[in-house]
Amino acid sequence: MNLIEVKNLSIQFGGLTAVDNVSFAIKPNEIFGLIGPNGAGKTTVFNMLSGFYQADHGEIIFNGNTITDLKPHTINRLGIARTFQNIRLFKGLSVVENVIVALQQREKHTWLDSLLETKKFYQTEKILFEHSIALLKIFELDRYKNHLANALPYGAQRKLEIVRALATQPKLLMLDEPAAGMNHSEKAELNDLVRFIKNKFQLTILIIEHDMKVIMNICDRIVVLHRGQKIAEGVPLDIKASPPVIEAYLGKRIT
Amino acid sequence: MIRMIQISRWTQALIFLIGFLILGIALHFFLNSYIHAILISFMINAIMALSLNFITGLADQFSLGHAGLMAVGAYTSALLSKELLSDHWFFIPLTVLAAGLVTSFVGYLVSLPSFKLKGDYLAIVTLGMAEIVRVLILNWNSVGGPRGYNAIIKFPNFLLSYSFSVFVLVVTFVVLFRLKKSWYGRNLWALNEDDIAAEVMGLDLVQSKRNAFIISSFFAGIGGGVYAHHLGYISPGSFSFLISVQILIMAVLGGLGSMSGSVIAAFILTILPEVLRSLPTGSVDVRMIVYPIILILMMILRPQGLLGRMELLEFLRSKNWIRS
């Protein structure tokens, strides 16, 4: 049983076929890598999976539901969360509020409670606050709780984005280049972090990454895209040795 | 602990209300009707600015047609009290409420096409809506057309009309303030900051914006109703594009997203032109030069508005002017 199944996915922008007939399937509790040279269509695949683009052809089946034409917020409610290549936090909100916004989409609120400041209003606010602090604590971000999100150091912002995605209680977490802009020690830390998240929250993770060290270390399986087409799929060792992948990254050997 | 805070808050509100009433009685006896009229129009302006600030400041959706919504409210309330409720002043609160409901329905109709697209389309749609409303009224003979709608029932004395306006203003303020501080306000801030990220968090953008606009329309309609029964005369000219802009200036000057800022800005911008009347009016009306200069200066000195996003108390605390 696959958690998510992508079948013959294609999308065109004008005359350009950004993603061409791509299929793959991810099993539960897997760390799945999506790699490829610049412009291969990785982020486009992400945008289709999270509902920002509508695929021209093909189908996406998540957990038994066809989600191909659903809106981003519905897809999120079904259990897919993602982060962005260029960090998208709610910059003017505090760190804890960033997490609360994600959490409260699952809470049942009534308008009347917040208008009349009833007991229930304070209770819900308290629960949301404590829940988000608990989440932040896991990632050692609780010391920043009252800082504005854009005042955080870069690595912490990346982490906060992951925390916020986790707060929506996903089954599948999609990370778009989480190591971008990180130094060596931060990258090593990221490795541990991704594994830790997977085990702690029983998640399936789909990850786009440019850094081969990171990808080869943490992924169970990898799909390689090149110019919108899938050129290889398999475990990291096979991918490393696969001739079409080497060709896509380095070019043809001169004979 | 929480219960104690709540009780003290209600007591605070009571003290506040009694204070307002005593002030009203004092004003009733000691000031002339010119000042009375300015006071009430300040409160109407504040209601309108609050209403606009909710959709523009919090949800970041520009509305350029609040005068149109105000017109819907004003004409609804005037028509109802004249045609249905046989001109009794004690029905005014009822007709004003009805005006709010009718206007929020109009707001709902406007929101149907506007929020399917991202970006500042609401500004264009509301601009068109305000013009449509104005032209409709202009050609509607039974409400006076261009001559205006006359002899709308008013409150019999200043004290009543003052209390009613204060009541409406306080309710508007409290409701919008509470909504801003609630989960819903947080949703609106989030989509204001980054709508794509908000969507990925599972937030329904269209629904949130639509609700915000309907709430905003409701209070704009209420403001229009109060306006109609304050002046006793309304015409299509009272709800021109300039009025929309004036309301926008108040919301921006007070600080987009700051409810108390809107009230303060409405106060300043209602009083200022009247205060400037004392300036010489010879061959040049100096007032017309000074007023815009003051506005420009304020925008240069505080581009984020008087209070920015903060409420009055938060603002004073951030400046360390009062203890937290």
Side-chain angles (χ1 to χ4, degrees), chain B residues 297-311:
Chain B
L297 277 180
M298 280 181 169
M299 284 302 158
I300 292 173
L301 296 175
R302 279 200 70 83
Q304 72 274 51
L306 288 175
L307 301 187
R309 277 177 173 194
M310 289 178 269
E311 296 300 337

Side-chain angles (χ1 to χ4, degrees), chain B residues 144-222:
Chain B
R147 279 168 286 122
Y149 202 40
N150 220 332
I152 303 162
I153 184 73
K154 293 201 228 177
F155 282 105
N157 58 45
F158 169 71
L159 196 56
L160 274 172
S161 93
Y162 169 86
S163 314
F164 180 62
S165 318
V166 167
F167 174 74
V168 174
L169 175 58
V170 168
V171 168
T172 309
F173 180 81
V174 169
V175 168
L176 295 182
F177 182 84
R178 289 304 317 154
L179 283 179
K180 177 190 167 185
K181 293 286 173 193
S182 74
W183 57 277
Y184 184 61
R186 217 158 29 217
N187 272 353
L188 293 182
W189 276 132
L191 75 85
N192 181 342
E193 292 278 347
D194 194 319
D195 52 349
I196 290 177
E199 235 178 332
V200 170
M201 299 294 105
L203 197 157
D204 190 342
L205 289 187
V206 177
Q207 193 71 45
S208 301
K209 288 182 195 168
R210 188 171 284 165
N211 287 345
F213 190 66
I214 292 171
I215 293 168
S216 172
S217 308
F218 176 79
F219 287 108
I222 297 254

Side-chain angles (χ1 to χ4, degrees), chain A residues 97-111:
Chain A
E97 278 173 325
N98 264 277
V99 183
I100 290 180
V101 167
L103 276 175
Q104 71 180 12
Q105 308 305 331
R106 268 88 191 146
E107 286 289 334
K108 185 82 187 133
H109 301 273
T110 59
W111 298 77

Side-chain angles (χ1 to χ4, degrees), chain B residues 29-311:
Chain B
F29 287 112
F30 295 114
L31 289 175
N32 58 27
S33 56
Y34 166 61
I35 309 261
H36 290 166
I38 295 173
L39 261 178
I40 305 245
S41 51
F42 145 64
M43 287 189 259
I44 294 165
N45 283 337
I47 294 167
M48 295 308 296
L50 282 168
S51 143
L52 181 69
N53 205 341
F54 191 69
I55 184 76
T56 304
L58 249 62
D60 198 23
Q61 301 295 307
F62 262 89
S63 162
L64 286 176
H66 255 54
L69 294 171
M70 195 178 173
V72 173
Y75 272 87
T76 310
S77 188
L79 260 173
L80 276 178
S81 55
K82 203 164 214 177
E83 308 295 334
L84 270 175
L85 296 170
S86 58
D87 271 350
H88 284 301
W89 65 264
F90 40 81
F91 284 132
I92 290 177
L94 200 68
T95 56
V96 167
L97 182 67
L101 293 175
V102 170
T103 314
S104 56
F105 180 69
V106 173
Y108 169 71
L109 291 182
V110 171
S111 76
L112 281 181
S114 333
F115 294 125
K116 296 224 163 140
L117 300 163
K118 284 182 186 173
D120 289 332
Y121 292 97
L122 185 66
I124 300 164
V125 177
T126 47
L127 189 63
M129 181 271 301
E131 274 311 289
I132 291 170
V133 168
R134 204 177 61 83
V135 171
L136 272 180
I137 297 170
L138 206 57
N139 291 293
W140 188 356
N141 261 325
S142 57
V143 294
R147 279 168 286 122
Y149 202 40
N150 220 332
I152 303 162
I153 184 73
K154 293 201 228 177
F155 282 105
N157 58 45
F158 169 71
L159 196 56
L160 274 172
S161 93
Y162 169 86
S163 314
F164 180 62
S165 318
V166 167
F167 174 74
V168 174
L169 175 58
V170 168
V171 168
T172 309
F173 180 81
V174 169
V175 168
L176 295 182
F177 182 84
R178 289 304 317 154
L179 283 179
K180 177 190 167 185
K181 293 286 173 193
S182 74
W183 57 277
Y184 184 61
R186 217 158 29 217
N187 272 353
L188 293 182
W189 276 132
L191 75 85
N192 181 342
E193 292 278 347
D194 194 319
D195 52 349
I196 290 177
E199 235 178 332
V200 170
M201 299 294 105
L203 197 157
D204 190 342
L205 289 187
V206 177
Q207 193 71 45
S208 301
K209 288 182 195 168
R210 188 171 284 165
N211 287 345
F213 190 66
I214 292 171
I215 293 168
S216 172
S217 308
F218 176 79
F219 287 108
I222 297 254
V226 177
Y227 178 83
H229 295 290
H230 163 57
L231 284 185
Y233 167 77
I234 45 178
S235 71
S238 347
F239 307 106
S240 62
F241 177 62
L242 271 177
I243 305 293
S244 297
V245 173
Q246 203 193 342
I247 299 167
L248 186 63
I249 291 176
M250 287 174 191
V252 172
L253 180 72
L256 283 175
S258 170
M259 295 299 155
S260 31
S262 283
V263 179
I264 294 169
F267 185 76
I268 294 173
L269 291 184
T270 316
I271 303 290
L272 194 60
E274 305 301 329
V275 172
L276 293 180
R277 267 181 214 280
S278 56
L279 290 174
T281 49
S283 52
V284 190
D285 197 347
V286 183
R287 188 166 68 105
M288 291 304 171
I289 302 170
V290 175
Y291 182 69
I293 287 180
I294 293 176
L295 279 187
I296 293 168
L297 277 180
M298 280 181 169
M299 284 302 158
I300 292 173
L301 296 175
R302 279 200 70 83
Q304 72 274 51
L306 288 175
L307 301 187
R309 277 177 173 194
M310 289 178 269
E311 296 300 337

